[in-house]
Amino acid sequence: MSTGMVLEGGGMRGLYTAGVLDTLIEEDVSVDGMVTVSAGALFGINFASRQKGRSLRYNINYIRDKRYISLRSWLKTGDIVNKEFAYYTVPFSLDVFDEQAFKESGIDFYATVTNMETGQPEYPKITEPFKQMEALRASGSMPFASKPVTHEGTNYLDGGVSDSIPLEKAKALGYNKNIVILTRPLDYRKTKPNSFLIDRWYKHYPKFKETLKNRYKNYNKTIEKINEEEKQDDIFVIRPSKTIPIKRLERDPEKLQAMYDLGVKDAKRRINELKDYLNKPLN
């Protein structure tokens, strides 16, 4: 039996995931592999390194720092989340990521990215986070708020565009028991985006444009499939038990804390169910 974990993105809604993961660290829950997207990758990597509290800490500490997220950064660099500060200064110097613990964890870690030429998802395996920081950055670079990330000669953006919840990839990798952590409540469905804006903004990337336009359909289909598999007890899903109004790039520390606290609460409420699921033989 091989256990996987699938992490949805969602910008600062990912603090919910961080709360869940920190609780699973406390409860000594382990997995063999993680297939992650966007904020799920950026926050979830701290589960593999066993750095409980790190995702919340650096976001609370720096969320109002203009070096981290700002309109000025977007106008100056094309990235509203500043590359140098968020992806290099923080993890290398200010709140150091424990790469050695990550490597020793034994967890196979995948970060979903979207190839802008093909419009298709790719799943680079992260083995050396410091050397592969651009792959992680590509996974978390949101459309409109970020410029394309060029990695190994190819342009990429947010993996959530092409595979918002990569459960099927986790299965294809051989994980036959999967914990799925979502950042939206049960009744959430995406709505059709502004096609005119997409056409204008990404006119040089026709396949990416179509993928972005159809993201809402693919997301909603994936949610329906997840709901069915959850009913069959084939997967274990943890999702927000209520809606907390929070922006994708929320800068209010109290709302970030509330999202994190909800993740902790929901995980603690369901931890025994989760352990039963993990210990139960496969059907």
Side-chain angles (χ1 to χ4, degrees):
M1 185 175 72
S2 185
T3 303
M5 180 182 284
V6 177
L7 304 182
E8 183 180 12
M12 289 304 168
R13 290 196 312 276
L15 267 301
Y16 175 84
T17 302
V20 173
L21 296 180
D22 282 353
T23 303
L24 300 189
I25 290 173
E26 283 185 354
E27 295 288 338
D28 202 29
V29 172
S30 61
V31 298
D32 299 297
M34 301 173 69
V35 188
T36 67
V37 179
S38 196
L42 302 178
F43 298 163
I45 201 166
N46 296 298
F47 177 82
S49 65
R50 277 333 211 217
Q51 287 177 278
K52 180 177 176 289
R54 181 174 179 269
S55 296
L56 178 66
R57 183 175 61 244
Y58 75 74
N59 277 289
I60 292 291
N61 286 344
Y62 299 114
I63 197 61
R64 287 184 170 167
D65 191 321
K66 291 182 180 179
R67 295 175 297 170
Y68 184 22
I69 298 173
S70 70
L71 180 61
R72 182 177 67 177
S73 176
W74 184 66
L75 293 172
K76 187 175 179 180
T77 70
D79 294 307
I80 198 164
V81 178
N82 186 270
K83 168 186 171 179
E84 293 304 324
F85 187 78
Y87 292 94
Y88 291 93
T89 302
V90 171
F92 282 78
S93 303
L94 296 180
D95 198 324
V96 177
F97 176 73
D98 191 342
E99 186 177 64
Q100 189 60 37
F102 172 87
K103 291 178 178 180
E104 292 172 357
S105 70
I107 295 173
D108 291 329
F109 191 93
Y110 300 86
T112 311
V113 297
T114 300
N115 184 315
M116 295 189 71
E117 298 297 335
T118 66
Q120 296 301 306
E122 296 178 12
Y123 308 90
K125 184 177 180 180
I126 306 299
T127 57
E128 297 183 280
F130 287 156
K131 288 184 180 179
Q132 295 175 279
M133 193 61 72
E134 290 302 280
L136 290 165
R137 188 167 77 88
S139 184
S141 290
M142 296 176 288
F144 307 112
S146 311
K147 66 181 180 182
V149 176
T150 303
H151 180 59
E152 298 181 350
T154 302
N155 287 335
Y156 295 95
L157 274 179
D158 191 345
V161 172
S162 54
D163 194 355
S164 296
I165 309 167
L167 175 59
E168 293 307 310
K169 179 62 179 179
K171 292 178 186 176
L173 288 166
Y175 304 119
N176 45 27
K177 282 219 168 187
N178 285 289
I179 306 165
V180 181
I181 303 177
L182 305 179
T183 57
R184 295 284 197 178
L186 182 61
D187 61 353
Y188 176 79
R189 299 294 183 277
K190 286 192 181 296
T191 56
K192 188 175 181 178
N194 185 326
S195 294
F196 176 77
L197 179 60
I198 293 172
D199 283 333
R200 291 292 297 274
W201 203 280
Y202 293 110
K203 60 185 177 182
H204 299 301
Y205 299 97
K207 292 182 178 179
F208 180 81
K209 277 195 319 183
E210 292 309 306
T211 300
L212 186 54
K213 287 180 186 179
N214 290 314
R215 181 189 183 189
Y216 79 104
K217 293 179 184 177
N218 295 329
Y219 180 90
N220 293 343
K221 286 179 183 177
T222 299
I223 287 294
E224 295 302 332
K225 192 169 189 305
I226 284 172
N227 290 347
E228 285 302 312
E229 293 192 30
E230 182 183 18
K231 289 176 184 176
Q232 299 299 320
D233 206 27
D234 292 334
I235 60 176
F236 192 91
V237 182
I238 301 178
R239 55 168 66 83
S241 55
K242 67 178 183 179
T243 298
I244 293 179
I246 185 171
K247 299 173 186 174
R248 187 176 288 268
L249 291 171
E250 183 62 60
R251 298 186 69 197
D252 183 343
E254 291 186 3
K255 290 185 178 181
L256 301 187
Q257 183 72 55
M259 203 73 195
Y260 176 88
D261 290 345
L262 182 63
V264 171
K265 178 182 176 182
D266 288 349
K268 286 185 175 180
R269 178 172 54 85
R270 302 199 59 205
I271 191 64
N272 290 333
E273 292 177 67
L274 173 58
K275 289 180 177 179
D276 288 345
Y277 166 78
L278 294 175
N279 291 326
K280 188 174 67 173
L282 290 169
N283 294 331

